[in-house]
Amino acid sequence: AGLFYDAATGEPTLQIHTEPRPFTMSWSRDGRRLALVSAQPTSTDVSIWDTETGRFVLTLNRTGRMSGN
């Protein structure tokens, strides 16, 4: 689970529960979406969340062995 806070007030604004635990994230330019990236030995998932409602939107999944350059 991840808990996000308003930088100005210090109040919690968003809580997200996801498994497996994400290793990186990225906000959309307008701040309305949050992408969380998690990886397992056989797949990589990108889950998209609505930051205003805290609701899950969709998952993009890639299965197979991942390798670097």
Side-chain angles (χ1 to χ4, degrees):
L3 188 57
F4 298 87
Y5 295 86
D6 182 301
T9 66
E11 295 294 318
T13 59
L14 178 65
Q15 185 170 10
I16 293 177
H17 299 277
T18 182
E19 288 294 331
R21 189 174 184 172
F23 67 86
T24 192
M25 65 181 176
S26 181
W27 298 91
S28 64
R29 289 182 189 250
D30 63 6
R32 294 181 56 211
R33 297 283 190 261
L34 175 65
L36 301 174
V37 181
S38 59
Q40 298 183 51
T42 60
S43 70
T44 301
D45 296 332
V46 178
S47 58
I48 309 296
W49 297 81
D50 183 308
T51 60
E52 293 177 2
T53 65
R55 291 186 175 156
F56 168 77
V57 177
L58 65 93
T59 293
L60 306 171
N61 177 274
R62 178 182 171 142
T63 58
R65 186 174 294 262
M66 301 295 290
S67 61
N69 295 356

